[in-house]
Amino acid sequence: MQTWDANFEQKLLVADSYRKFLALFFHPNPEWKRPRKLTYQEFATRAGFSSKSFMADIIANRKRLTPSSFEKTVAGLKLSPRWEEYLKCLVAKEEMAFLTPKYSTDYYARKLSELKIKIKNRSERKPQIGNSPLMEVLLQPYFPEVYAGLGTVEKGTTLRELQVRTGFNTKALEKILLDLEKVGIVKSIPKTGRYLPVPSAIEAEKLNDEILFEKDFIRALQKAQGRFKSQAQSEESLFMTQTFSVKKSKLAGFRNSLAQLIIEFADDAEAAEGDAIAEICIGFTHNSKP
């Protein structure tokens, strides 16, 4: 769920250098409320830089972003995977250290153009949530499974197919689909009896600042706890916890790699066509003390 104001996103898209892109996060502007202005100290703490002037030096062209400082910058700005990729394309236009035989300047230029179009189209289609009927629907316990079971945006699904995938009865599904249609997440095709998910209706970005994320994550944890009691030895479910020691400088990179790995399964198919529903619930915590 993208929480940045549309005006801010537009400014990012027209920034013609990575330094101008980065500067937008630190300069106050009355055109947008989110994201709020960052201080250089706050950014340095988040990213793990010892010097609070690091980003100021980057923006002023006194220093350059390197592949290692890029990962920390992504963590400090709390960029989503898509915006991380966008920034990397901008950086690669100017910094040779990001180029390889496989990822050339031409590659990054093409990727940058593609991302501009995707981000712009998503922003134009994105429903507003806030304190709205849409938010109420998104917070319903049935929402994740029903939306996941809707099928591809081109083909959609029938009521019968959705019933098989989710296990909900017909009467309940009819009401749920009506609610989803009212808030613009689903479009029904009476002639064919199919339901289509609206393209890019849901964009899973920057959820960490939303009440939606907190409530949905708690819901998922509670569901996982219930399933664990009866399915801990089942081949249908996987439950795992891992505690390990890692350098603080590596925490941001590990978190972002984990997020990217998960998103690879869903980023290009937020309503995939499948015959089963899978749910991932991951909590990554940093224990600063034993």
Side-chain angles (χ1 to χ4, degrees):
M1 210 73 53
Q2 183 57 269
T3 62
W4 292 345
D5 290 354
N7 287 332
F8 180 74
E9 288 193 343
Q10 183 58 34
K11 293 290 186 181
L12 292 178
L13 291 174
V14 299
D16 58 5
S17 74
Y18 76 86
R19 300 179 197 278
K20 291 181 180 179
F21 180 101
L22 294 172
L24 290 168
F25 289 86
F26 300 88
H27 297 168
N29 194 301
E31 294 184 34
W32 61 76
K33 294 181 179 179
R34 304 194 70 177
R36 63 179 179 79
K37 174 191 172 184
L38 271 174
T39 65
Y40 291 122
Q41 180 62 68
E42 181 180 9
F43 167 80
T45 301
R46 277 190 196 174
F49 290 113
S50 58
S51 172
K52 70 177 182 180
S53 65
F54 176 81
M55 184 51 64
D57 290 336
I58 291 289
I59 293 172
N61 202 18
R62 292 189 292 267
K63 290 184 178 180
R64 296 177 178 275
L65 271 184
T66 64
S68 60
S69 61
F70 176 83
E71 290 189 8
K72 291 184 177 181
T73 297
V74 168
L77 297 179
K78 294 186 177 181
L79 296 184
S80 69
R82 181 162 290 176
W83 278 112
E84 175 184 354
E85 190 174 16
Y86 187 91
L87 175 58
K88 189 172 186 178
C89 291
L90 275 180
V91 176
K93 289 171 55 179
E94 305 176 45
E95 306 297 350
M96 296 293 291
F98 287 80
L99 303 181
T100 66
K102 182 178 180 181
Y103 299 111
S104 63
T105 302
D106 289 341
Y107 167 84
Y108 282 115
R110 290 194 303 271
K111 194 67 177 177
L112 186 65
S113 297
E114 293 172 2
L115 288 170
K116 280 181 182 288
I117 294 172
K118 286 183 179 180
I119 293 171
K120 183 179 179 181
N121 289 344
R122 185 209 65 216
S123 298
E124 290 175 350
R125 292 192 299 254
K126 182 180 58 182
Q128 297 297 313
I129 55 173
N131 296 320
S132 68
L134 176 57
M135 175 66 85
E136 294 181 10
V137 170
L138 298 182
L139 290 175
Q140 295 299 319
Y142 61 71
F143 171 76
E145 292 180 55
V146 173
Y147 189 77
L150 282 171
T152 61
V153 296
E154 297 85 5
K155 186 178 178 181
T157 187
T158 64
L159 192 64
R160 175 57 182 165
E161 290 170 340
L162 192 58
Q163 182 181 6
V164 171
R165 292 172 184 171
T166 64
F168 290 103
N169 62 55
T170 301
K171 187 174 181 180
L173 277 177
E174 288 177 340
K175 183 181 184 307
I176 292 170
L177 290 169
L178 181 61
D179 290 341
L180 298 182
E181 190 171 5
K182 286 180 180 178
V183 296
I185 296 176
V186 172
K187 180 171 65 174
S188 64
I189 311 297
K191 291 183 179 180
T192 62
R194 304 191 75 83
Y195 295 87
L196 307 179
V198 175
S200 295
I202 304 302
E203 192 65 35
E205 296 181 3
K206 297 297 181 183
L207 281 172
N208 53 304
D209 293 328
E210 293 293 331
I211 187 174
L212 174 63
F213 171 77
E214 180 182 352
K215 291 198 173 186
D216 187 60
F217 190 70
I218 291 175
R219 175 203 61 78
L221 285 174
Q222 291 172 338
K223 184 184 292 185
Q225 183 181 34
R227 287 175 176 167
F228 180 78
K229 292 179 179 179
S230 60
Q231 300 179 13
Q233 304 302 321
S234 172
E235 294 182 358
E236 296 179 358
S237 300
L238 171 66
F239 299 93
M240 174 180 162
T241 180
Q242 183 67 48
T243 303
F244 54 90
S245 175
V246 62
K247 291 182 178 180
K248 287 185 178 180
S249 61
K250 298 290 186 180
L251 280 173
F254 174 70
R255 183 196 64 193
N256 292 332
S257 296
L258 182 62
Q260 184 62 47
L261 177 63
I262 298 167
I263 289 172
E264 283 179 5
F265 289 90
D267 190 44
D268 295 327
E270 62 185 16
E273 181 181 13
D275 55 8
I277 304 295
E279 185 170 26
I280 301 174
C281 179
I282 292 180
F284 173 50
T285 59
H286 171 206
N287 298 324
S288 58
K289 294 181 180 180

